[in-house]
Amino acid sequence: MVKTFQCASRCQYPMVVSSSTLKSIMKYCLWISALFVAAVLLRPIANGSSVLSPHPVALQDQLHDLEERIATLERKARATGVKSYMKVKFLSIKDRKRILVTGGAGFVGSHLVDALMLQGHEVTVADNFFTGRKSNVEHWVGHQNFEMINHDVVDPLRIEVDQIYHLASPASPPHYMYNPIKTIKTNTQGTLNLLGLAKRVRARFLMASTSEVYGDPEVHPQVESYWGNVNPIGPRACYDEGKRVAETMCYAYQKQDGVEVRVARIFNTYGPRMHMKDGRVVSNFIMQALTGKPLTIYGEGKQTRSFQYVSDLVDGLIRLMNGNYSQPVNLGNPQERTIYAFAQEIQQLAGGSNPPPIVKKPAATDDPRRRKPDISLAKRVLGWEPKVTFEKGVQQTINYFRRELKRQRADSTV
């Protein structure tokens, strides 16, 4: 892990140093602070006597010695702690785009940022870190093509960009139900603000919509022309209806003001950087299996889902943004699984030699019974379809959660 540290010489650019080096520097800084206070107390008072020590010269020597040690550590940090980045493609000014990714520190957003950075574009992340994490993008901090802004899209943002990927919104039921009013504001006022920005700077705008616009579908598999079956006052409505009205806004701006819009209807996605307490079925099952807890199913487990790996989704989003098709497009994996069958697979892959049991709880309100995308349109207009197999993607996700759990345990023992 790396951290930014401002050296004593106040150089223009902060150094990036290892945690161990930073701890050493901070330790000596604390010693100097303590000794400085002691030096003040040890100054001769009005009658010429010292309060505590007859040896202020020795104290000054100690301060000088510690200052020398800090200077040595700073030189070491500059020599060996220079941050390295993944190799980024060079693009000329006419090919290099200025791209804004809202929610760019989140699960999907951070993978999208990686792909755009590697392509050589200038990327600005705007995130309020409600569900996003700085650690997801910290490997780009300091790069000349990268900028991160702590910003809530409910407030207007003034920035010059060529493309806007609007991914800002909590996406898992526990997160978007935690503050439903905030969820509605993010998907309505936030989208309105960013469409206004796109209009002003003439940027192309991609809206990360969701398969939840189909609700509990009566058409299977779901095609883009299906209008959906959504409960407008149910517990999931803050997210479902928020995304539906966001789509409406996109096409209103397209029709009235000529804004170039793209709409991706994203189906269940999984992969590394999912939040361990995300609340969705993939992270729930993996975390429960790795920690030896029963895998929890709501209802009988006969409801179905289709899972796509995050790298496939990112590829689809970039193709959609840079393509010429402006109507909604499904992005998902059409391989359909029952929740119970999925639980069994995770049980075997992550449960170890003594896999935990599967337990059933009462069904969740408005939980869709079936969910499977028809991706014929994406194949035709984008040349896109998922490439990562379920087995490979799930194993990589399990490995990521194992590393996160190991790191969490190590941090708790420090």
Side-chain angles (χ1 to χ4, degrees), residues 204-223:
R204 182 173 288 185
F205 181 90
L206 185 146
M207 173 70 199
S209 189
T210 172
S211 60
E212 294 295 334
V213 300
Y214 300 125
D216 188 5
E218 297 172 338
V219 172
H220 192 80
Q222 292 80 58
V223 292

Side-chain angles (χ1 to χ4, degrees), residues 80-121:
T80 63
V82 177
K83 189 172 183 178
S84 60
Y85 302 96
M86 291 181 280
K87 187 174 181 180
V88 171
K89 182 180 178 181
F90 173 78
L91 292 178
S92 64
I93 293 177
K94 70 180 182 66
D95 296 323
R96 186 168 65 242
K97 293 182 175 65
R98 300 165 300 174
I99 301 175
L100 170 65
V101 182
T102 69
F107 160 48
V108 173
S110 62
H111 286 280
L112 176 61
V113 167
D114 286 350
L116 295 172
M117 286 290 295
L118 292 173
Q119 288 178 357
H121 298 294

Side-chain angles (χ1 to χ4, degrees), residues 33 58 68 134 170 208 236 251 277 304 394 412:
S33 299
E68 285 295 320
K134 293 179 183 178
R236 305 167 75 101
Y251 293 106
K277 296 182 180 179
T304 66
V394 166
S412 65

Side-chain angles (χ1 to χ4, degrees), residues 212-406:
E212 294 295 334
V213 300
Y214 300 125
D216 188 5
E218 297 172 338
V219 172
H220 192 80
Q222 292 80 58
V223 292
E224 289 85 352
S225 58
Y226 177 51
W227 291 356
N229 176 37
V230 176
N231 177 359
I233 59 171
R236 305 167 75 101
C238 60
Y239 183 67
D240 301 1
E241 298 289 22
K243 291 293 188 181
R244 285 164 70 95
V245 75
E247 289 192 14
T248 302
M249 288 177 179
C250 287
Y251 293 106
Y253 266 82
Q254 182 190 63
K255 182 178 180 180
Q256 182 171 317
D257 297 308
V259 175
E260 292 187 71
V261 299
R262 305 289 186 264
V263 173
R265 289 178 179 165
I266 301 171
F267 284 69
N268 291 69
T269 306
Y270 70 97
R273 299 183 193 162
M274 292 186 81
H275 200 289
M276 289 197 292
K277 296 182 180 179
D278 180 78
R280 284 177 281 194
V281 63
V282 175
S283 52
N284 278 356
F285 284 171
I286 292 176
M287 282 296 295
Q288 288 168 344
L290 291 177
T291 56
K293 297 177 182 177
L295 276 64
T296 306
I297 285 178
Y298 295 92
E300 293 300 312
K302 295 179 180 179
Q303 63 269 45
T304 66
R305 295 292 183 272
S306 302
F307 302 101
Q308 70 178 330
Y309 192 66
V310 65
S311 62
D312 285 329
L313 172 59
V314 166
D315 178 45
L317 291 173
I318 294 174
R319 286 171 182 252
L320 179 59
M321 172 64 91
N322 297 307
N324 296 318
Y325 191 79
S326 63
Q327 293 299 302
V329 177
N330 288 338
L331 294 178
N333 192 318
Q335 293 183 352
E336 188 178 11
R337 283 175 169 77
T338 66
I339 294 298
Y340 190 83
F342 179 57
Q344 289 179 312
E345 291 178 271
I346 297 299
Q347 188 183 43
Q348 295 303 314
L349 289 170
S353 57
N354 186 24
I358 298 172
V359 298
K360 297 178 181 179
K361 291 190 175 182
T365 305
D366 293 339
D367 190 25
R369 291 164 295 173
R370 301 189 75 182
R371 189 60 61 74
K372 175 183 176 181
D374 184 316
I375 62 169
S376 302
L377 181 62
K379 288 181 179 179
R380 187 172 74 252
V381 302
L382 304 179
W384 176 88
E385 62 182 324
K387 294 182 175 62
V388 179
T389 64
F390 178 77
E391 293 73 20
K392 180 180 178 181
V394 166
Q395 191 59 61
Q396 289 182 356
T397 308
I398 290 171
N399 292 341
Y400 168 78
F401 276 99
R402 278 201 178 105
R403 291 194 300 271
E404 287 295 294
L405 281 170
K406 184 178 180 180

Side-chain angles (χ1 to χ4, degrees), residues 137-158:
V137 291
E138 71 176 356
H139 51 284
W140 292 117
V141 172
H143 194 283
Q144 62 181 0
N145 287 355
F146 179 80
E147 185 176 0
M148 183 161 57
I149 306 171
N150 191 331
H151 180 81
D152 192 324
V153 296
V154 171
D155 301 316
L157 179 62
R158 292 171 178 83

